[in-house]
Amino acid sequence: MSIVLMPEKVDFRISTTDLHATYTESGGVTLRVDVQTREDMPLDQYREAEFTFSTAAELRCVTLNFFELYAGQVEGIPHTEDVLHFWESNGYHPDPGFYQFVDSPILDEKKTLFDPRNRLDLKHYLVAGYDSYVEVIASSYLIEVKNKGEC
């Protein structure tokens, strides 16, 4: 069985060994990760990004490398020799570490439980770090990328 991932069109790539996840019933899911923008890459600098999924139905945190766990089963991520050229031309990294599952069997199975009237437009997202990953079933998200030196 293959897993099809569609990269989210974000102007950074996740570059982290730590994923910080917070879930509250009323506040949804907040994730904090380190990212690199195009500006940061030549300087080997990082920034913190905060993902907020305000209407979240499920959060799964797994301490394994997603791509090693599912080696040979993942499709949909563009492969390019010149990542920087792709990034500059398209405005997003081809392999940002943040994806949406296409035709997610988990979402298909749980959609009637979480959203029986189909009002929330739930999606199944993946945020992949080096040695861990997070899956979130949510309606939408906001991302705030902090400026360098900002806490």
Side-chain angles (χ1 to χ4, degrees), residues 2 11 13 15 17 19 24 27 30 42 48 53 57 60 83 95 98-99 125 127 131:
S2 68
D11 199 10
R13 73 176 186 96
S15 181
T17 53
L19 291 167
T24 62
T30 301
E48 184 179 88
F53 299 87
R60 286 186 61 215
V83 171
D95 190 7
F98 181 38
Y99 316 92
Y125 297 100
V127 177
D131 295 321

Side-chain angles (χ1 to χ4, degrees), residues 27-144:
V29 172
T30 301
L31 303 175
R32 288 198 322 260
V33 297
D34 289 335
V35 300
Q36 283 187 314
T37 64
R38 280 180 278 169
E39 177 185 301
D40 297 327
M41 291 209 42
L43 305 171
D44 199 30
Q45 293 180 332
Y46 301 86
R47 303 168 193 242
E48 184 179 88
E50 185 172 279
F51 294 63
T52 304
F53 299 87
S54 57
T55 304
E58 184 172 287
L59 168 69
R60 286 186 61 215
C61 302
V62 181
T63 307
L64 291 170
N65 181 292
F66 181 86
F67 296 101
E68 288 175 8
L69 182 63
Y70 296 103
Q73 297 177 53
V74 178
E75 300 176 12
I77 300 171
H79 297 284
T80 178
E81 294 294 319
D82 192 346
V83 171
L84 192 56
H85 176 72
F86 180 99
W87 197 350
E88 289 171 344
S89 299
N90 296 286
Y92 68 96
H93 195 284
D95 190 7
F98 181 38
Y99 316 92
Q100 188 178 139
F101 286 87
V102 176
D103 298 323
S104 164
I106 293 171
L107 183 58
D108 288 344
E109 175 187 324
K110 295 186 174 184
K111 199 172 200 173
T112 56
L113 175 67
F114 294 138
D115 188 19
R117 294 190 181 109
N118 202 27
R119 289 190 271 175
L120 300 176
D121 191 29
L122 294 172
K123 295 177 177 45
H124 186 183
Y125 297 100
L126 170 70
V127 177
Y130 289 131
D131 295 321
S132 60
Y133 65 93
V134 174
E135 292 181 53
V136 181
I137 295 177
S139 293
S140 60
Y141 60 86
L142 294 173
I143 301 173
E144 179 185 358

